[in-house]
Amino acid sequence: MKLITCCSFKGGAGKTTALMGLCSAFATEGKTVALFEADENRPLTRWKANALANNTWDPQCEVFVADDLPLLEAAYEEAESRGFDYALADTHGGSSELNNTIIASSNFLLVPTMLTPLDVDEALATYRYIIELLLGENLVIPTAILRQRVPFGRMTASQRAVSDMLTALPLTQQPMFERDAFAAMKNRGMLHLSLSNAINQPSMRLMLRNLDAAMEDLRVLSRFVQEALGD
Ligand SMILES: Nc1ncnc2c1ncn2[C@@H]1O[C@H](COP(=O)(O)OP(=O)(O)OP(=O)(O)O)[C@@H](O)[C@H]1O
Ligand SMILES: [Mg+2]
């Protein structure tokens, strides 16, 4: 089981959304995914409830509440023993012992950030924090910044400037674009199943292209992560 963690000091950076998307991309490949809910606000538990209500929950995936150290240890052990291919950990903002433990146990770290000066500042602080933690523990864990909510059309001058600043750091190959289909996942459930349900519903036909384009972004992101993991 490979553990992939989304972390950022800043709230609202797009951690949970990136994780929901990756989960869908892995599930379309037939992979089993354990989701570690390390945020006491429980966004993944809510996501699962919404998905079950919309018939968009993939039973290859399971949420494990892991918002304290004993729960995290139990979740990790259970997911490992049940043979999940991947575990995805959703963390709360800021630094904590729980976050440190998750980071140090991960096989890949994703730091999502929006392209505002404030967000990028926080992403750089998160990146520095991760590197210092890993150096202190003598660990090498591939880490990449994920540019989140990037506008599809032209970027503003400020967005271009902060985007240029980020090129000095390891970035995922492609950003996650600002898409309604991504914003809607928390209510609609898993994107790949929303997509397959839409195919069978004439009223959803107009949304198909949007869902399909969003799913393609996620396939690129998941391939990038899998290559970094050597999968
Ligand atoms: N690529 C995207 N396109 C459109 N909306 C997005 C995208 N990524 C995130 N959002 C929206 O931005 C908001 C914040 O995203 P999200 O909840 O994923 O951030 P977070 O880092 O997990 O926040 P928190 O720190 O509260 O856990 C949500 O309303 C989400 O739907
Ligand atoms: Mg979140």
Side-chain angles (χ1 to χ4, degrees):
M1 184 175 76
K2 304 259 174 81
L3 174 61
I4 300 151
T5 298
C6 289
C7 43
S8 72
F9 281 162
K10 185 158 183 314
K15 298 179 286 294
T16 306
T17 307
L19 184 142
M20 289 170 178
L22 265 182
C23 177
S24 248
F26 289 149
T28 49
E29 287 182 16
K31 306 288 189 203
T32 52
V33 186
L35 296 156
F36 295 161
E37 175 99 287
D39 179 349
E40 58 284 354
N41 295 314
R42 309 237 166 134
L44 299 177
T45 302
R46 268 201 309 279
W47 182 47
K48 183 179 177 186
N50 291 339
L52 286 172
N54 289 313
N55 208 10
T56 55
W57 184 258
D58 196 318
Q60 292 167 182
C61 309
E62 190 49 271
V63 175
F64 296 83
V65 173
D67 56 10
D68 66 27
L69 280 174
L71 282 173
L72 174 70
E73 274 171 27
Y76 194 95
E77 245 174 60
E78 190 185 339
E80 182 103 293
S81 73
R82 283 168 55 182
F84 280 91
D85 296 311
Y86 292 103
L88 299 176
D90 191 25
T91 59
H92 58 101
S95 60
S96 64
E97 205 190 339
L98 180 66
N99 279 358
N100 288 353
T101 306
I102 296 175
I103 290 170
S105 318
S106 297
N107 301 94
F108 188 82
L109 297 165
L110 261 184
V111 181
T113 181
M114 288 197 277
L115 296 183
T116 73
L118 178 68
D119 285 89
V120 167
D121 231 33
E122 294 273 359
L124 294 174
T126 307
Y127 187 76
R128 192 175 316 121
Y129 179 85
I130 289 171
I131 298 302
E132 279 168 10
L133 180 76
L134 298 183
L135 281 173
E137 303 277 340
N138 241 325
L139 291 167
V140 180
I141 303 173
T143 304
I145 307 265
L146 170 65
R147 291 154 295 171
Q148 251 288 31
R149 306 189 69 169
V150 173
F152 221 75
R154 270 175 73 84
M155 284 198 270
T156 63
S158 159
Q159 285 168 333
R160 270 201 306 280
V162 290
S163 193
D164 288 347
M165 260 174 65
L166 284 176
T167 54
L169 296 177
L171 299 173
T172 62
Q173 177 188 349
Q174 196 180 284
M176 244 173 112
F177 292 105
E178 169 89 30
R179 291 184 184 276
D180 291 344
F182 290 144
M185 287 191 295
K186 54 185 179 290
N187 298 319
R188 279 197 204 132
M190 292 201 190
L191 188 69
H192 66 297
L193 296 182
S194 296
L195 181 61
S196 52
N197 292 351
I199 292 169
N200 303 316
Q201 283 177 30
S203 60
M204 298 274 282
R205 276 290 153 80
L206 283 176
M207 269 166 42
L208 260 183
R209 272 169 61 111
N210 292 343
L211 293 170
D212 207 29
M215 202 59 231
E216 183 49 35
D217 281 4
L218 296 173
R219 274 192 283 271
V220 175
L221 178 62
S222 73
R223 265 199 303 274
F224 175 87
V225 172
Q226 286 171 320
E227 268 167 33
L229 288 169
D231 287 358

